Amino acid sequence: MSEELVNVSDLNQHAYCPRRYWYLHFYDTQGRNYERIEGKTKHENQSERGNWLNELYLESERLGLKGKIDVLDLENGRTVPVERKRAESGDYYKSDEVQLAGYCMLLEDHLDEPVRQGAIYLYETDQRMHVPITEDHRETVREQIDAMQSMTVDSIPPFTDNPKKCEACSAREYCLPEETARLEPKKVRGTGWEGRI
Amino acid sequence: MKPPEGMFDESVIYVTRQGAQVQVDGGRIVVWDVDGDEGELASFPIEKLDTINVFGGVNFSTPFVARANEHGIVLNYFTQHGKYRGSFVPEKNTIAEVRRAQYDLSRDEELAIAQQMIAGKIRNARTLLSRKGVRGTDVLKDLGVRAESDTTKDDLRGTEGEAAERYFHLLDETLVDGWTFEKRTKRPPEDHINSLLSLTYVFMKNEVLSALRQYNLDPFLGVLHADRHGRPSLALDLQEEFRPIFCDAFVVRLVNRGVIDHEDFRKDNRLSDDAFKIYLEKFENYMNEELTHPHFEYTVTRRKAVRQQAILLRKAITDELEMYHSLTFTK
Ligand code: SF4
C-alpha cells in the first residue's frame, strides 16, 4: 500500500475540524513541505540529556502515521510522550488528546511495548497534565487516519457543527463560514451555521 | 456580524523616499535613509506585510530580498512618478490545486464569473452616480440586466462597453466647477481628470494583483479580458467592479475637495512631485478607510474588502461556492 502517512500534528487539525485540515492539506502545500524538512533535520540533531529526550521523529507504515515527539520523558522505566501547548484559555482541547494518543501509538509501535499515558504541558500555566490513553482515543485516531487518507480535493468537508470553534480557528479569514451562510445559505445546510444568520 | 480578526492590517506599504534602502532587522522590515543621515525612517513587522511598493531610487538589501521570498512578500517597482515597471514575485506563490482548478474552468464557468463582475461594475456605476445626485441612470439598470443574460463573452464585452460610455458621459455631472470630464482617454491621458483616473487604475490594479497572488490565483489567466502576453488579465477582470465605486469615487473626491488642483499638474498632464506624494498618502488613507460591508454588515477597510473578493473568487473557482459574488453597493 502506498498511502500517504498521516502527520500526527495534522490529527489535531482534523479532529478540530475536517475542513480546516482539508485547507491545510490541499491548499497549503508549501507549509507542509517546510514542516517535513524541519522534522527531518531536527531528528538528526536529536539530543539526549538526562532522563529526557528531545525531538524524536517516528514513522509507522502499519499505523499509517508519522510524527515528531517534542519531548519524551523517561519516568521510572516508563516512556511518556509530552506535548507542549500554548493555550490561552489555560486548558487544552479534546483534539490535543487525540494528537497525544497518536504519539503514544507511534511510540508503542517503535518500542514494541504498551504506552498507556502521555502528558500535556501548558506554557501559560507551567502545568503538566497526565492524560491516560484509552481505547476510545485509539479508535478515534484510527478513524481519523482513515478519513484523512480517503479525503479528496473534490469532496469539500462541511463547515463545523460547532460555530464556537470558528472563533478560535486561524483558517477563518479564508474559510468564511458566516459569510458563506449569508451568500449561499444552501452551502451551510446541516452544519452548525445553518439558521445562525 | 463580526469580521474575522487579524486580516491584512498594514499589509501594503509604499516607499517613496529617494535614496532609501529596505532592510531586515530581526523580525522587522526597516526602511533606512542610506543616502542621508536620518537613519531609520520606518519599520514594520515582517509577517504582517505582503506587498511593498517602491518608487524610483529605492533599493533593497540582499538579505531583505531573501526574506521577502521566504515570507511571500511581493515587491512592485514604480518610477518616481508612479509608472509601473515590474514586480518581484516570490517562488512559493503557486498551489497546484488552485492553478489546476483555474486552468480547468470551462467557457461557461468563466462567462458566469465575468457576468457577475460586469453586472457588479454597472451596479456600482449607478450607485456612484446616484450618490452624487445624477439622474438618468435607468439605461444602466437595463444594461446591468443584460450583462447577466449575455450568452457569449463578446456580447458581454459589448454590454460593458455600452455601459461604460453611458456612465462616463454622466460622470461629468459629479465634478465641481472648474473640472470637466469629456471622454475617457488612456494612452496618453489627455487631460487632468483622465490622468488621475489612469493613475488610480494602476494603483487599484496593484491592490488586486496583491490580493490574487495572496490567494495563489494566476493573475495572467483571465475570465473576460483576453490573455495577452504580460497582461494581468484576471487582475483587470476583478478590478472592474471596484473601478466606479472605489477608483472613480476617489478621483472625484480628490478634485471636489480641492486636494488636487489644476496647478498640481505638469505640462505632460502628470502630477508634480509634491502633488504625487499627496496623492499617494491620500490613496493609502482611502484604502485603509473603513466602511460597512454591504453584504456582511461589519466594518472593513477598502483594502480588506478587495482582498475578500479575491477569496470569494478563488472559492468560486475551486467550487467551494456556487458562483462568484461581486462587491456591490446598492446605495
Ligand atoms: S472556520 Fe470553522 S468551519 Fe472553517 S475551518 Fe475553521 S473551524 Fe472549520
Side-chain angles (χ1 to χ4, degrees):
Chain A
M1 245 188 7
S2 65
E3 284 202 296
E4 237 184 287
L5 298 181
V6 162
N7 224 315
V8 176
S9 56
D10 289 347
L11 280 175
N12 193 332
Q13 310 281 354
H14 186 268
Y16 191 84
C17 173
R19 192 174 180 108
R20 181 179 155 110
Y21 172 71
W22 183 80
Y23 287 136
L24 192 82
H25 187 63
F26 291 109
Y27 290 121
D28 194 12
T29 47
Q30 198 65 32
R32 297 173 59 79
N33 286 339
Y34 177 71
E35 204 174 306
R36 216 165 286 147
I37 294 161
E38 192 189 47
K40 214 169 152 220
T41 48
K42 288 264 179 69
H43 173 50
E44 283 159 8
N45 302 335
Q46 94 174 219
S47 59
E48 222 172 324
R49 277 178 252 148
N51 58 349
W52 52 278
L53 196 67
N54 244 350
E55 311 276 12
L56 177 64
Y57 181 80
L58 296 170
E59 284 187 4
S60 163
E61 286 286 340
R62 192 180 64 78
L63 293 167
L65 265 188
K66 62 179 175 189
K68 187 185 76 188
I69 300 176
D70 274 359
V71 178
L72 196 58
D73 226 325
L74 311 169
E75 295 179 353
N76 333 316
R78 270 188 326 176
T79 29
V80 180
V82 184
E83 178 58 18
R84 292 176 290 189
K85 286 280 163 204
R86 298 216 165 275
E88 265 147 41
S89 61
D91 204 356
Y92 56 86
Y93 287 99
K94 186 89 193 143
S95 52
D96 296 330
E97 283 185 22
V98 175
Q99 186 179 356
L100 195 60
Y103 288 129
C104 290
M105 289 163 76
L106 260 183
L107 199 56
E108 240 163 36
D109 203 64
H110 181 69
L111 298 174
D112 217 11
E113 66 181 45
V115 177
R116 298 200 177 89
Q117 172 167 257
I120 293 178
Y121 171 82
L122 297 181
Y123 285 101
E124 279 78 0
T125 51
D126 189 25
Q127 241 182 329
R128 176 189 274 217
M129 291 175 268
H130 282 258
V131 181
I133 301 301
T134 65
E135 188 46 39
D136 257 14
H137 284 124
R138 290 165 199 269
E139 191 51 39
T140 310
V141 170
R142 285 187 285 264
E143 282 168 14
Q144 303 267 6
I145 293 170
D146 247 12
M148 288 161 83
Q149 286 180 332
S150 54
M151 207 176 239
T152 68
V153 68
D154 298 316
S155 57
I156 310 164
F159 294 106
T160 176
D161 52 12
N162 176 6
K164 265 221 155 90
K165 284 186 174 176
C166 301
E167 278 167 33
C169 176
S170 59
R172 179 171 192 174
E173 67 177 53
Y174 177 72
C175 180
L176 299 179
E178 196 171 8
E179 290 80 352
T180 303
R182 288 241 167 158
L183 296 172
E184 297 187 1
K186 227 168 75 189
K187 288 279 180 198
V188 303
R189 210 167 276 165
T191 76
W193 285 99
E194 184 168 20
R196 297 251 312 190
I197 299 300
Chain B
M1 275 173 77
K2 267 194 349 199
E5 269 168 28
M7 268 176 37
F8 333 122
D9 298 327
E10 296 176 37
S11 54
V12 179
I13 60 170
Y14 295 82
V15 185
T16 53
R17 169 67 77 92
Q18 300 305 292
Q21 190 182 49
V22 186
Q23 312 173 340
V24 280
D25 182 4
R28 296 183 75 81
I29 289 185
V30 178
V31 182
W32 198 266
D33 182 22
V34 281
D35 277 6
D37 49 14
E38 284 180 50
E40 184 178 312
L41 299 168
S43 94
F44 310 87
I46 211 162
E47 67 282 352
K48 278 197 168 180
L49 295 182
D50 59 53
T51 307
I52 301 183
N53 298 313
V54 297
F55 297 81
V58 176
N59 60 58
F60 301 118
S61 74
T62 309
F64 165 75
V65 177
R67 245 350 156 74
N69 190 40
E70 219 174 278
H71 285 262
I73 298 173
V74 175
L75 313 177
N76 296 319
Y77 300 86
F78 296 86
T79 65
Q80 208 179 335
H81 301 288
K83 189 167 177 293
Y84 177 68
R85 287 162 68 193
S87 300
F88 164 87
V89 181
E91 48 191 64
K92 76 182 224 182
N93 213 257
T94 31
I95 288 183
E97 288 303 344
V98 179
R99 296 292 164 104
R100 181 184 64 85
Q102 201 181 346
Y103 299 139
D104 281 353
L105 281 182
S106 69
R107 290 250 121 193
D108 285 351
E109 287 166 326
E110 286 181 357
L111 179 66
I113 292 171
Q115 280 179 317
Q116 292 310 307
M117 291 171 170
I118 297 303
K121 178 186 186 179
I122 298 174
R123 172 72 253 191
N124 288 337
R126 269 178 65 208
T127 300
L128 173 65
L129 292 172
S130 81
R131 279 182 190 174
K132 303 284 169 194
V134 180
R135 304 172 67 90
T137 62
D138 285 354
V139 188
L140 286 178
K141 191 172 180 178
D142 297 342
L143 287 166
V145 174
R146 199 167 101 193
E148 291 195 69
S149 55
D150 279 331
T151 51
T152 68
K153 288 189 186 181
D154 273 342
D155 290 348
L156 184 60
R157 284 188 201 107
T159 306
E160 197 277 319
E162 227 177 287
E165 203 178 308
R166 291 278 174 178
Y167 162 71
F168 278 126
H169 181 70
L170 293 167
L171 197 60
D172 189 44
E173 294 178 38
T174 64
L175 300 174
V176 289
D177 284 354
W179 292 87
T180 47
F181 182 79
E182 298 276 349
K183 65 173 190 331
R184 177 83 187 113
T185 55
K186 296 173 195 165
R187 266 172 295 260
E190 284 169 14
D191 54 38
H192 296 164
I193 279 285
N194 271 294
S195 169
L196 284 176
L197 287 175
S198 291
L199 186 60
T200 308
Y201 294 154
V202 169
F203 275 82
M204 185 54 84
K205 186 184 77 188
N206 283 299
E207 290 286 327
V208 173
L209 265 175
S210 301
L212 292 175
R213 284 188 175 126
Q214 191 178 7
Y215 294 101
N216 319 98
L217 291 160
D218 182 348
F220 293 93
L221 196 67
V223 290
L224 183 63
H225 282 84
D227 303 326
R228 224 191 279 150
H229 183 69
R231 188 159 86 152
S233 307
L234 190 65
L236 297 172
D237 292 338
L238 181 55
Q239 184 185 8
E240 291 289 3
E241 64 203 71
F242 310 128
R243 280 180 200 262
I245 209 76
F246 289 167
C247 303
D248 304 348
F250 174 62
V251 170
V252 169
R253 185 198 278 193
L254 284 182
V255 304
N256 283 5
R257 291 192 184 170
V259 176
I260 299 281
D261 212 333
H262 288 297
E263 276 81 68
D264 290 324
F265 291 85
R266 305 187 309 182
K267 273 214 182 64
D268 61 0
N269 286 334
R270 289 232 194 93
L271 286 172
S272 68
D273 291 359
D274 287 348
F276 182 62
K277 283 213 181 92
I278 293 173
Y279 174 92
L280 273 181
E281 195 194 310
K282 295 291 173 190
F283 182 81
E284 187 54 17
N285 291 345
Y286 187 72
M287 290 311 286
N288 285 319
E289 210 171 86
E290 292 186 327
L291 45 84
T292 302
H293 195 285
H295 309 310
F296 308 142
E297 290 166 19
Y298 46 60
T299 308
V300 281
T301 63
R302 290 195 176 84
R303 179 164 287 142
K304 283 184 190 183
V306 167
R307 302 228 162 181
Q308 283 188 324
Q309 290 311 115
I311 295 180
L312 295 180
L313 176 59
R314 177 166 128 169
K315 284 176 182 284
I317 289 173
T318 57
D319 279 341
E320 259 186 78
L321 289 173
E322 295 287 305
M323 58 184 277
Y324 175 65
H325 300 265
S326 56
L327 179 68
T328 50
F329 294 80
T330 52
K331 36 177 207 302

